[in-house]
Amino acid sequence: MKIGNVIRKYRKEAGLTQEEMANRLGVTTPAVNKWENGISNPDIELLAPIARLLHISLDTLMSFHEDLTPSEIGEIIGQMDKMLETEGFDTVYEWACGKIKEYPNCNMLIWQIAVMLDANRLIGGCDEPEKYDRQIYSWYEIALGDDNEQIRRHAADSLFGFYLRIKNYAKAEEYLQYFNDHDPMKQIYQGRLYKEHGKTDEACEAFENVLLSSYQTLNFAFSFMTTLAIEENDTEHARFLAEKMGALAALFEMGKYHECSAMLDVVFAEKNREATYQVVEQLLKNVDSLCDFQKSKLFEHMKFKDSDSSFIQGLKEKLKDGFREESYEYMRGHEGWEKLLG
């Protein structure tokens, strides 16, 4: 935070207008306005009087305590954690308020302190947890205004939980805008709101969308890892990954075709004639299972287009054409292979 922003923040907290501040410092109102808008900075001899007038330290005025390293934040949170085990909640709360005043511009620290106090009061750390609602909420809101997307996301997550807990669902939903549309947590939280509104089908559909999307993401990751292993000539590891890929497809009830297809690249890389035949035989046999996941109870609330039998048959023929290409020359003369491809 620049010095002008610090001056504006603490001038307002002190209840002073720009004109009142200017009069007390012996400068013009436009000068104060220029400081706060970053057009100019106060002269060095004015820094101490400004800090005294605003009841802050020079360190705070100059933003020396703006940024803390992750390690420094970790040390403060670790100290706070130990205090929560030995000191009363009120004592730790006052200590935490002091830390936030010491580092008023470190939003990651502010958010972590708020989370620690929020969690501790909810598990019986204090007798009147509700009396801290306003302050903890305000700390989350401070973090929500940070320039860092990760910190904003953390704060939005906390605020969503905060309002969900007190059953202010309309307010909770406002914070979903801070989540990327591709973030699965956004759909999960939307599902939770549907549940609270008694919209069970919509809630299930939201959760099922997350499941299907998660499978696709994991499947892509395994696929690329398998390819990398093959490129490194580590077919043993590639086979291990392909087996995991098949197990993943089985877990998510994607259908036999998906369970078998993962191994094709491995047996092809090995030029293993018998294994290639067995894998391809299973693929052609189970082409019609490509859309079996649409019938699974895992995804029963999702809406899918009806499978086109002509498309499935066409795909089967395209697969056969692909297996007849020159790259599968090593399979020529294999009796079962020739019969399989007709």
Side-chain angles (χ1 to χ4, degrees):
M1 188 183 291
K2 296 184 182 300
I3 190 170
N5 294 332
V6 176
I7 290 172
R8 180 189 294 111
K9 170 181 168 65
Y10 288 98
R11 172 182 63 76
K12 290 182 176 180
E13 288 189 7
L16 298 171
T17 65
Q18 288 185 344
E19 184 178 7
E20 289 170 334
M21 183 174 182
N23 290 336
R24 295 197 190 189
L25 293 172
V27 298
T28 64
T29 302
V32 176
N33 184 270
K34 287 180 179 179
W35 298 343
E36 294 189 357
N37 286 290
I39 298 172
S40 63
N41 292 324
D43 294 335
I44 192 168
E45 63 266 26
L46 284 173
L47 295 179
I50 290 173
R52 285 195 296 271
L53 177 62
L54 300 180
H55 307 293
I56 58 176
S57 68
L58 274 172
D59 278 359
T60 298
L61 179 62
M62 300 300 291
S63 296
F64 290 154
H65 287 169
E66 178 171 359
D67 295 316
L68 290 169
T69 66
S71 177
E72 290 171 330
I73 293 174
E75 288 179 8
I76 292 172
I77 296 302
Q79 183 181 355
M80 184 178 172
D81 191 36
K82 290 178 180 177
M83 290 178 65
L84 284 167
E85 293 178 0
T86 58
E87 307 284 346
F89 186 89
D90 288 341
T91 300
V92 180
Y93 174 79
E94 293 301 326
W95 176 88
C97 288
K99 281 296 176 186
I100 289 176
K101 286 181 180 178
E102 187 177 354
Y103 303 102
N105 305 312
C106 185
N107 290 334
M108 179 59 85
L109 175 67
I110 292 172
W111 171 72
Q112 290 198 31
I113 284 176
V115 168
M116 288 281 288
L117 292 174
D118 201 4
N120 191 265
R121 70 189 178 123
L122 293 176
I123 61 173
C126 66
D127 295 330
E128 299 178 83
E130 295 82 8
K131 81 175 186 178
Y132 298 98
D133 278 0
R134 184 181 296 275
Q135 183 59 75
I136 289 174
Y137 158 82
S138 70
W139 285 334
Y140 286 148
E141 284 288 350
I142 289 171
L144 192 68
D146 198 89
D147 293 333
N148 185 294
E149 183 180 356
Q150 182 185 23
I151 295 176
R152 290 199 304 273
R153 164 67 167 71
H154 286 323
D157 188 278
S158 298
L159 284 161
F160 177 87
F162 181 87
Y163 282 108
L164 191 70
R165 191 168 63 243
I166 63 175
K167 302 186 185 305
N168 188 339
Y169 304 130
K171 190 69 175 175
E173 189 166 13
E174 290 179 15
Y175 294 100
L176 292 183
Q177 66 178 298
Y178 292 92
F179 291 77
N180 187 291
D181 286 339
H182 301 293
D183 186 342
M185 289 308 300
K186 183 171 187 176
Q187 289 192 66
I188 289 175
Y189 285 166
Q190 185 65 68
R192 292 181 66 184
L193 288 174
Y194 283 140
K195 173 184 174 294
E196 296 299 339
H197 288 299
K199 298 179 178 179
T200 304
D201 287 347
E202 289 89 340
C204 289
E205 184 179 4
F207 297 140
E208 289 167 13
N209 264 299
V210 173
L211 286 180
L212 185 56
S213 176
S214 298
Y215 166 75
Q216 292 166 340
T217 300
L218 290 170
N219 188 60
F220 276 128
F222 272 116
S223 179
F224 287 124
M225 290 170 68
T226 303
T227 300
L228 285 173
I230 290 172
E231 290 176 353
E232 294 295 319
N233 295 317
D234 189 353
T235 52
E236 182 180 350
H237 188 56
R239 180 174 289 275
F240 166 79
L241 292 169
E243 288 172 352
K244 293 297 182 185
M245 230 170 131
L248 183 71
L251 176 65
F252 281 84
E253 300 186 3
M254 300 306 294
K256 285 291 183 181
Y257 182 90
H258 293 285
E259 293 177 35
C260 301
S261 62
M263 195 59 69
L264 180 60
D265 287 342
V266 179
V267 296
F268 178 83
E270 294 174 334
K271 297 295 186 286
N272 186 323
R273 285 163 58 87
E274 190 57 34
T276 300
Y277 167 71
Q278 291 175 3
V279 170
V280 171
E281 181 186 36
Q282 287 300 309
L283 289 179
L284 295 176
K285 180 182 177 181
N286 292 290
V287 171
D288 58 354
S289 73
L290 266 170
C291 299
D292 274 7
F293 67 93
Q294 297 178 3
K295 307 167 191 173
S296 168
K297 283 188 173 295
L298 277 177
F299 311 110
E300 64 181 344
H301 294 87
M302 294 181 66
K303 300 171 183 65
F304 301 103
K305 292 182 180 178
D306 292 335
S307 302
D308 186 343
S309 58
S310 62
F311 167 78
I312 296 296
Q313 185 58 38
L315 179 60
K316 190 171 184 177
E317 293 306 316
K318 285 182 180 180
L319 284 172
K320 285 184 177 182
D321 288 341
F323 295 133
R324 293 187 185 105
E325 290 180 359
E326 190 175 335
S327 56
Y328 283 91
E329 179 69 27
Y330 71 96
M331 292 300 296
R332 294 287 172 86
H334 187 288
E335 184 178 350
W337 181 261
E338 302 294 346
K339 187 181 297 185
L340 186 65
L341 300 184

